[in-house]
Amino acid sequence: MPLYTISTKRPLLDSDQQALVSAITEAHCSITGAPAQFVQVVFSRGVRLRSRNIVHILGSIRSGRSDKIKSELASAFVNSASQILCCPRSRCSVDLVDVPASWVIEGGAVMPEPGQEQEWLARQPG
């Protein structure tokens, strides 16, 4: 958690996929303060996207993030996708969905609420 699904009509180059994973992870961590190990990114290709979109990013993030944080995340993702895929920002879209932390299990333990990550990590084995 969070889980970001990047959907495209056509397959992406491996280098573009890695660049998107790095950009999304960096943005999520710097904006929310969450550890990088929480961020999961998957790719879905051959997807019929709305309108003239080239890429759509769907993020399932823990509930409790402010509208300001969600806006910053969406903007960072659009900027990164536009740069990496060399396409106009208007052809990139982002949707973020709030998911209660209590609905997610990571490494066999229920995820912490935003801001409680360090205490949660300290309690995890290994």
Side-chain angles (χ1 to χ4, degrees):
M1 186 74 187
L3 174 63
Y4 290 103
T5 302
I6 301 174
S7 298
T8 58
K9 293 177 186 176
R10 297 188 179 104
L12 298 176
L13 297 172
D14 288 345
S15 58
D16 289 342
Q17 287 184 17
Q18 186 55 53
L20 285 166
V21 168
S22 295
I24 285 173
T25 301
E26 170 61 29
H28 184 88
C29 295
S30 65
I31 293 169
T32 68
Q37 67 202 60
F38 285 5
V39 181
Q40 305 294 317
V41 180
V42 296
F43 292 87
S44 180
R45 63 178 179 255
V47 176
R48 294 183 82 189
L49 301 176
R50 54 180 124 120
S51 186
R52 297 176 28 146
N53 285 351
I54 290 174
V55 62
H56 176 258
I57 301 170
L58 174 62
S60 297
I61 62 173
R62 284 179 288 162
S63 300
R65 306 284 187 203
S66 69
D67 288 342
K68 180 180 185 282
I69 285 176
K70 289 187 252 186
S71 178
E72 288 176 22
L73 287 170
S75 180
F77 299 155
V78 166
N79 288 339
S80 294
S82 174
Q83 278 187 326
I84 293 164
L85 301 178
C86 300
C87 65
R89 289 174 41 86
S90 62
R91 309 264 322 257
C92 306
S93 64
V94 175
D95 289 307
L96 300 174
V97 177
D98 290 325
V99 176
S102 63
W103 290 8
V104 181
I105 295 179
E106 179 88 19
V110 174
M111 288 292 290
E113 294 298 325
Q116 297 176 355
E117 295 89 355
Q118 295 310 314
E119 297 86 2
W120 183 87
L121 286 168
R123 292 191 309 269
Q124 301 312 303

